[in-house]
Amino acid sequence: MPFEFECPHCGIRTNVDDRYSGQSGPCAGCGKTVTIPTIGRGGVTVSPTASGGGAIIAVVVLVGLGALFVCSGMMMWTVRRAVPLPAPAPALTGSTPCDNNLRVLALAMHNYHDAYGTFPPACVAGEDGEPMHSWRVLLLPYLGRKDLYDQYDFDEPWDGPNNRALIPLMPPEYRCPDDLLSNYDATSYAMIVGPGMLSDGESASRMADIKDGTSNTIMFVEAHGARIVWTEPRDLDGGAMSFLINSGQAGELQGHADHVKTVFCDGMTHELPLGRAPGDLRAMATIDGGEVVDIP
Ligand SMILES: [Zn+2]
Ligand SMILES: [Zn+2]
């Protein structure tokens, strides 16, 4: 009999066969060691363990899928635990380099969340309230770029003398290969920042704050030509932007010929087609607006 198991580190839920009870292995979502509890009649409780080995749990849940996809599906499940695990979404079959970038960034966000208990804020401000550092720098250790992170000096702003030297070293994940509008040092991807959104600047959201559901809430969008240097603490202004797709205006949703790619908070990518109603897109950018919107 399979039973539901919740990772105590990252909260991902999955079904585990009871023959694995009492055994340890890495969580498919966060990789940390977990012990499958012994099943009792009154429900299942779990505590983290410091040691253990084997790939048992990963084998159980990684049935031929990439870890991120498993992670995505399970996170959606966590938020909507009353409903059965949804069928894999069609968007997962489209896997362009741009989709892959967005999924890698979303996975890094979740690993950051595992470590800190929140997603990163859009920016970190200095004592004067001016934005100093971007989420893109905070994410570096979770993109396998601890080396670059360690070279960054958080005591000076992003454009200080030390940090300016890192601008040409943008990790490729921050750039859509089809972005012909941005300079070599500019990112193609941005958060939508504003009240009620994933971050309103310095604020950081937790998974639990995303009341609309991770599968209904945008994490990053494409903003080709917005001229945002990748280390610059600047994103799209959710309060001021039009939410029109490919309007040609800087600081708006701008991407591929007939669509803009986006990744939602569950790690799944979607294409926002030309002509999609701006009101829908704004609703997808809020974390707890309570709107019901068809996801493309
Ligand atoms: Zn986990
Ligand atoms: Zn793209």
Side-chain angles (χ1 to χ4, degrees):
M1 268 286 288
F3 63 93
E4 192 177 60
F5 169 75
E6 178 177 345
C7 172
H9 305 289
C10 69
I12 281 176
R13 291 182 173 221
T14 187
N15 278 332
V16 179
D17 195 281
D18 60 10
R19 69 197 145 111
Y20 296 113
S21 67
Q23 301 194 42
S24 297
C27 165
C30 64
K32 292 176 185 154
T33 300
V34 290
T35 299
I36 301 297
T38 315
I39 309 154
R41 295 266 170 218
V44 171
T45 51
V46 178
S47 58
T49 56
S51 63
I56 294 158
I57 298 159
V59 170
V60 173
V61 291
L62 281 173
V63 191
L65 290 170
L68 175 58
F69 303 166
V70 172
C71 201
S72 311
M74 294 306 168
M75 273 181 259
M76 190 186 321
W77 196 12
T78 304
V79 171
R80 299 181 159 184
R81 57 190 63 161
V83 299
L85 185 65
L92 288 179
T93 59
S95 196
T96 67
C98 183
D99 286 289
N100 290 340
N101 285 344
L102 287 165
R103 288 187 195 124
V104 166
L105 295 179
L107 181 59
M109 289 282 278
H110 280 282
N111 287 335
Y112 182 102
H113 192 293
D114 266 2
Y116 291 99
T118 72
F119 292 116
C123 69
V124 177
E127 284 172 10
D128 58 359
E130 284 296 305
M132 277 181 86
H133 315 294
S134 168
W135 62 267
R136 296 179 195 82
V137 176
L138 300 179
L139 221 49
L140 285 173
Y142 304 94
L143 290 171
R145 295 308 306 271
K146 181 89 167 42
D147 60 319
L148 200 48
Y149 183 82
D150 287 343
Q151 293 176 60
Y152 189 92
D153 181 359
F154 283 90
D155 290 334
E156 68 171 38
W158 69 278
D159 56 354
N162 176 82
N163 294 338
R164 284 197 71 81
L166 305 179
I167 289 174
L169 306 178
M170 177 169 67
E173 291 87 353
Y174 285 132
R175 179 67 175 230
C176 169
D178 294 335
D179 183 352
L180 304 176
L181 297 174
S182 300
N183 289 337
Y184 75 97
D185 57 2
T187 181
S188 309
Y189 306 116
M191 255 189 221
I192 299 176
V193 175
M197 294 171 181
L198 195 58
S199 172
D200 71 3
E202 286 187 81
S203 74
S205 296
R206 298 166 302 158
M207 288 278 279
D209 298 325
I210 305 177
K211 301 281 195 308
D212 288 346
T214 53
S215 59
N216 296 311
T217 303
I218 286 174
M219 181 177 269
F220 301 127
V221 294
E222 288 191 278
H224 297 193
R227 296 172 184 268
I228 302 170
V229 173
W230 74 276
T231 49
E232 184 180 358
R234 183 162 68 87
D235 285 271
L236 300 189
D237 181 349
M241 59 193 281
S242 70
F243 284 90
L244 291 168
I245 305 258
N246 291 353
S247 66
Q249 300 294 312
E252 296 281 347
L253 301 167
Q254 189 77 38
H256 301 255
D258 62 352
H259 67 269
V260 163
K261 295 266 190 199
T262 175
V263 66
F264 279 55
C265 292
D266 64 354
M268 286 172 62
T269 57
H270 297 272
E271 292 182 358
L272 305 173
L274 280 180
R276 187 68 203 242
D280 285 0
L281 300 176
R282 186 177 286 109
M284 291 175 206
T286 61
I287 60 175
D288 64 352
E291 312 91 342
V292 178
V293 176
D294 276 343
I295 309 301

